[in-house]
Amino acid sequence: MKKMVGMLLGLMLVCCSCLRDEIRPCPPLQVSIGVKDKNYFNVDDVEREGLASRLDEDLPFRSYVSTLYCALYELESGEKVEVKPHMEVDNEEKIQRITFSDRLPFGRYRMVVWGNLRDERPLEGDATDACLEEHDASLQDIYVAADTLEYGYAAYRHTVELERTKGKLIVLAENMPFPVAASVKEVSQVYSFVQSDLQYDEAITHRTHTPWEDPYRMLTETLMGPSVEEDRSVLEVDFLPEEPGGGRASPENIHITINRNELAVVKYVFTGKGFEIYVLVNDRWEAQHNMDID
């Protein structure tokens, strides 16, 4: 009898051991990160004017986005459970892959990814929104992606795509009456904060001072948040002369719209009596005349 009991116990131990050995390890959560906005929506129209160049859409990831910051949140509580801090993209891969801890419990999570931040200072609070102007963020082409992820045995691989948060203003000047050292630009009513779902907040006036490389023909490019409302941003430009004490040239102000992931192009042409101002709309230049500025 004792012998029989011993055999049964041994058999049970063998069976239990086999069952345990067959349990698969929990696959870690893996997220592939791509870039959605590799080119501006209207880059082809601007390229036809010789003012921009379309990027090849099959370049390495870092040709569009050079740094990453990732944060993972428990969906219901909003608690931040894991962070991949500021990372330089130093490889030639077209997709970047992030693997989270294999101790992460199965469940529902929200992932937020920021691209092209030089450091983490522009991130506000829990890193679900960012200031587009603080520190050197005003100079960076900032990207963001956010998505809800279901993590389990059959759902541990996910993909998100980064989208551009800003627009770009291109200002061109021709036939200037004097050598120009720099320009000062102000654009009112543009957003300065963006949330991870591309909702915007806090309107500001964006100011820049740009030295000219060519004193007779200028082309400047300025990144900024989108306009609060269509045709409500006011563009004010002053052209500053090279000669100390020389008078500045100040064309009339015009209404413009800065859109996310679009190029806004304004051209100033000095005629001898004053400036003619044109805005590139689709594939044609539209003259701006006697705009009423509130």
Side-chain angles (χ1 to χ4, degrees):
M1 184 67 178
K2 290 182 178 180
K3 185 175 180 181
M4 181 65 70
V5 170
M7 291 176 63
L8 288 173
L9 289 173
L11 182 60
M12 289 175 64
L13 289 172
V14 170
C15 290
C16 289
S17 176
C18 290
L19 287 173
R20 184 176 180 182
D21 289 342
E22 290 175 0
I23 295 176
R24 293 178 298 166
C26 297
L29 176 63
Q30 301 173 32
V31 180
S32 296
I33 304 172
V35 180
K36 182 177 181 179
D37 296 330
K38 297 177 180 178
N39 280 287
Y40 289 94
F41 294 141
N42 61 337
V43 66
D44 293 334
D45 293 337
V46 182
E47 185 177 45
R48 280 191 285 271
E49 299 295 328
L51 303 175
S53 298
R54 167 176 278 278
L55 290 175
D56 186 333
E57 300 248 345
D58 199 36
L59 296 173
F61 185 96
R62 68 176 183 175
S63 300
Y64 319 103
V65 175
S66 60
T67 70
L68 289 172
Y69 171 95
C70 306
L72 193 68
Y73 305 83
E74 204 280 327
L75 186 62
E76 291 189 7
S77 68
E79 178 186 359
K80 189 187 295 182
V81 295
E82 191 168 345
V83 172
K84 301 293 185 182
H86 184 268
M87 298 172 285
E88 296 282 344
V89 181
D90 59 0
N91 58 69
E92 297 301 309
E93 299 297 324
K94 297 174 184 177
I95 297 292
Q96 299 301 303
R97 293 174 176 83
I98 302 295
T99 301
F100 291 93
S101 170
D102 57 8
R103 295 187 296 274
L104 187 71
F106 288 160
R108 300 185 72 202
Y109 295 90
R110 181 169 178 79
M111 182 180 179
V112 175
V113 186
W114 295 97
N116 281 339
L117 290 173
R118 297 297 95 191
D119 56 47
E120 298 168 20
R121 290 178 297 171
L123 297 179
E124 295 290 316
D126 60 3
T128 58
D129 55 10
C131 179
L132 299 176
E133 298 298 321
E134 291 295 326
H135 309 293
D136 71 344
S138 64
L139 304 176
Q140 307 307 323
D141 192 9
I142 297 172
Y143 281 72
V144 69
D147 201 4
T148 298
L149 311 178
E150 189 79 38
Y151 174 42
Y153 267 125
Y156 61 92
R157 290 178 178 164
H158 297 273
T159 299
V160 298
E161 287 191 307
L162 290 162
E163 296 180 78
R164 183 179 273 116
T165 64
K166 297 183 179 183
K168 182 186 286 187
L169 171 64
I170 297 176
V171 171
L172 175 68
E174 298 178 348
N175 197 32
M176 295 301 295
F178 51 76
V180 177
S183 63
V184 177
K185 299 187 293 294
E186 291 190 358
V187 181
S188 68
Q189 291 294 297
V190 293
Y191 284 117
S192 63
F193 274 83
V194 62
Q195 298 174 8
S196 58
D197 58 358
L198 288 174
Q199 297 299 307
Y200 292 86
D201 198 9
E202 294 198 23
I204 63 165
T205 295
H206 188 283
R207 297 178 175 86
T208 54
H209 180 282
T210 308
W212 283 25
E213 294 183 3
D214 185 333
Y216 290 98
R217 185 181 185 277
M218 179 194 84
L219 179 67
T220 65
E221 300 180 352
T222 308
L223 292 163
M224 65 187 72
S227 296
V228 172
E229 188 178 349
E230 186 175 357
D231 292 330
R232 297 307 298 169
S233 292
V234 175
L235 170 61
E236 178 180 347
V237 177
D238 290 325
F239 300 115
L240 309 181
E242 286 187 331
E243 293 296 327
R248 65 175 61 190
S250 301
E252 65 176 310
N253 300 344
I254 62 169
H255 288 295
I256 62 170
T257 303
I258 305 297
N259 289 318
R260 187 196 74 79
N261 197 45
E262 283 191 5
L263 301 166
V265 186
V266 180
K267 178 167 64 175
Y268 296 89
V269 181
F270 189 73
T271 64
K273 295 181 180 180
F275 285 93
E276 293 181 352
I277 306 174
Y278 302 89
V279 173
L280 187 65
V281 179
N282 297 325
D283 59 352
R284 67 185 186 277
W285 291 103
E286 291 190 355
Q288 309 296 298
H289 296 294
N290 299 321
M291 302 294 288
D292 293 326
I293 304 297
D294 297 332

